[in-house]
Amino acid sequence: MMTNDTLLTLDTVSKAYGREAKKFVAVRDVNLQIRAGEYVCLLGPSGCGKSTLLRVIAGLNPATSGTVLYRGKPLVGVNPHATIVFQTFALYPWLTVEENVEIALKARGVPQTGRRERTLKLIDTVGLDGFESAYPRELSGGMRQKVGFARAMAVEPELLCLDEPFSALDVLSAEALRGELMELWLSKSIPTQAILMVTHNIEEAVFMADRIVVMEKDPGRVLTEMQVTLRHPRQRKDTAFQAVVDKVYAAVAGKTQPEAEALGTAPGQPGKTQPLPAARLNALAGLLEKVAGEGGGGDLYKLSVELVLELDDLLPIVEAGELLGFATVQEGDLTLTPLGQAYADANILARKELVAGRVLRLPVISWIYETLQQDDNKRVAEEYFLDKLQPDFGGLAGQQLDIAINWGRHAELFAFDDDTDELFLEV
Ligand code: ADP
Ligand code: MG
């Protein structure tokens, strides 16, 4: 449904990188609308295509298929109504704060008279009054990001796009800057009509957004959307706030996949080779122990807080637990299977055997193991495996091999020789 205040409409938008056989679908069939007055968050694990979508919306990258409408008109080329603030804003190190902001006005064609006045007002707006003649290197990360905001606002974008704008900052600066941005936004002291912010931080999304669009990867897509109606300023410690966080957590963590689909096929075989989740198995051991210690089940959100892990780091570990059959996930709760319980109770030796049995069910691991078995010296060059992983994983083949080696070593099946760059069989 399109109304008068609809700024942006994405209709079955897909974006693929590369060509033909090497084509990689970064986001598939995304439908999204942004209306004036809304603060929308795109939330999802890294690699699900959040930045890709922002670039499509800003017109920096065209969509491969589907339609992008801005105020009802098809978007052609760079979107003059949208600006992106990146995680680390590229400031000119040789220019002062004032010059860094003024250059944005100049680029926009604002005449010299009045430019200085507007520059100073913008600097004041973001709370950098008194730092006009400072150089970027003299500023903290939080202050540099404020200059970034000031520069983005100089353009007076109707749609302000923020790509993980707080994630490169320390905790205190990030929190302060979030508060300041909310104040600017809620008091309507900036002409911006809508904000679209990318984040992988659930609490941040619940703290700021009117609506959260939850994304998932492989392929990048929208899973679900939820409205957040809590009043501002929002208090993280409120039970209502925590309830929303829990609900979003449940949507993000999703449900355990059916087994056959989760396992996939070996490299070089027909069918899809499933990627291994980017998790170290000692981290999984830590998670299983923790959950076992709490009676065999736990709320994922609470676990992430207690283990001091970001969602991006916890989810692959949880995924590894599911893949190995040690745990299941439903509605944001993790439950140990009997096998997971047995693992947590076992001694180190028994654990290795348990894990060896489990990881050998994974086509990638058993393929590496069998390849090494068949070699006369029980040693094969890393290059061989990388070549075979290439068609399925492209630039991520190296990462996949690293994970496989970590899992193989953990199970004492095989390991990597740094001196010769070979994998070898553990005996
Ligand atoms: P996010 O911002 O959610 O972490 P991205 O939009 O950066 O995700 O990336 C989505 C997927 O597209 C990733 O798998 C990434 O490797 C891939 N990708 C992003 N940019 C390019 C590019 N220019 N060429 C090829 N693949 C890309
Ligand atoms: Mg990104």
Side-chain angles (χ1 to χ4, degrees):
M1 177 192 56
M2 161 126 184
T3 55
N4 274 342
D5 60 355
T6 301
L7 299 180
L8 176 85
T9 307
L10 300 185
D11 185 2
T12 52
V13 163
S14 298
K15 173 72 191 172
Y17 291 108
R19 260 172 303 185
E20 310 283 318
K22 294 276 172 205
K23 203 167 91 169
F24 173 79
V25 180
V27 288
R28 175 172 294 168
D29 293 341
V30 170
N31 295 311
L32 178 70
Q33 282 206 346
I34 308 230
R35 288 170 285 275
E38 277 193 306
Y39 195 126
V40 178
C41 273
L42 287 180
L43 177 77
S46 96
C48 72
K50 305 181 295 293
S51 299
T52 296
L53 273 185
L54 284 196
R55 286 197 297 271
V56 167
I57 290 165
L60 303 176
N61 265 350
T64 310
S65 63
T67 342
V68 182
L69 301 178
Y70 197 87
R71 286 202 179 272
K73 296 202 186 71
L75 181 65
V76 184
V78 172
N79 187 340
H81 307 288
T83 300
I84 305 184
V85 174
F86 297 97
Q87 187 181 91
T88 47
F89 206 91
L91 300 180
Y92 300 109
W94 60 89
L95 299 182
T96 63
V97 167
E98 186 179 332
E99 290 161 342
N100 261 292
V101 176
E102 190 177 355
I103 207 169
L105 290 170
K106 194 172 163 194
R108 213 188 137 212
V110 175
Q112 189 162 12
T113 42
R115 208 153 66 198
R116 185 178 150 85
E117 199 184 335
R118 289 218 6 223
T119 302
L120 295 179
K121 183 157 182 303
L122 281 163
I123 291 173
D124 190 37
T125 305
V126 297
L128 280 180
D129 204 11
F131 290 91
E132 292 81 0
S133 50
Y135 287 91
R137 64 167 186 282
E138 300 170 309
L139 305 177
S140 68
M143 290 161 89
R144 279 200 288 264
Q145 191 61 317
K146 286 183 183 182
V147 183
F149 277 113
R151 247 167 59 168
M153 286 167 194
V155 187
E156 301 196 341
E158 210 167 48
L159 177 62
L160 180 62
C161 299
L162 309 173
D163 195 348
E164 312 209 17
F166 309 111
S167 62
L169 305 177
D170 64 273
V171 178
L172 289 180
S173 315
E175 193 58 7
L177 200 48
R178 278 183 203 114
E180 286 165 32
L181 175 63
M182 283 322 280
E183 225 176 277
L184 287 179
W185 167 244
L186 295 168
S187 65
K188 302 199 184 340
S189 17
I190 45 176
T192 293
Q193 300 264 317
I195 297 183
L196 177 60
M197 182 173 90
V198 160
T199 180
H200 59 255
N201 181 328
I202 293 178
E203 285 213 22
E204 180 174 292
V206 175
F207 184 69
M208 307 181 89
D210 300 313
R211 184 153 58 95
I212 299 176
V213 176
V214 178
M215 295 183 66
E216 185 47 285
K217 60 179 173 181
D218 302 320
R221 63 198 187 278
V222 172
L223 271 188
T224 182
E225 286 195 12
M226 13 190 130
Q227 214 68 40
V228 184
T229 53
L230 301 169
R231 288 174 51 167
H232 291 283
R234 296 177 180 166
Q235 308 294 335
R236 289 167 194 266
K237 298 221 150 52
D238 274 4
T239 42
F241 187 95
Q242 290 300 330
V244 177
V245 169
D246 264 354
K247 210 175 98 188
V248 179
Y249 223 95
V252 173
K255 286 186 178 181
T256 304
Q257 286 189 325
E259 168 141 306
E261 191 188 330
L263 289 183
T265 59
Q269 302 289 312
K272 181 165 161 48
T273 302
Q274 294 291 352
L276 298 174
R280 308 261 138 194
L281 288 192
N282 47 3
L284 173 62
L287 175 68
L288 296 175
E289 274 167 19
K290 166 119 187 111
V291 177
E294 287 174 2
D299 181 281
L300 278 180
Y301 170 60
K302 279 214 199 82
L303 285 168
S304 86
V305 172
E306 287 166 7
L307 294 166
V308 203
L309 282 173
E310 291 259 6
L311 174 68
D312 255 1
D313 301 322
L314 178 64
L315 284 188
I317 302 171
V318 170
E319 227 181 287
E322 294 180 278
L323 193 57
L324 298 182
F326 290 144
T328 57
V329 174
Q330 194 122 31
E331 320 229 287
D333 281 324
L334 181 131
T335 311
L336 292 190
T337 60
L339 196 67
Q341 193 67 52
Y343 176 92
D345 294 336
N347 63 26
I348 291 184
L349 216 69
R351 281 185 178 187
K352 299 251 180 222
E353 276 173 24
L354 247 179
V355 171
R358 300 312 288 176
V359 297
L360 278 173
R361 288 161 56 253
L362 305 176
V364 172
I365 305 276
S366 61
W367 161 70
I368 295 175
Y369 188 66
E370 280 159 23
T371 305
L372 293 171
Q373 291 246 319
Q374 282 157 21
D375 184 83
D376 287 343
N377 302 314
K378 314 290 182 209
R379 289 180 158 266
V380 176
E382 173 189 31
E383 270 315 302
Y384 173 86
F385 296 104
L386 286 176
D387 280 350
K388 300 271 182 199
L389 289 167
Q390 192 74 29
D392 279 299
F393 300 112
L396 293 176
Q399 187 217 33
Q400 281 296 308
L401 188 59
D402 282 350
I403 300 166
I405 291 170
N406 175 269
W407 291 24
R409 179 183 290 154
H410 193 91
E412 293 190 2
L413 292 170
F414 49 78
F416 183 68
D417 185 338
D418 278 323
D419 292 329
T420 61
D421 288 342
E422 289 168 329
L423 278 74
F424 65 94
L425 213 57
E426 291 264 43
V427 280

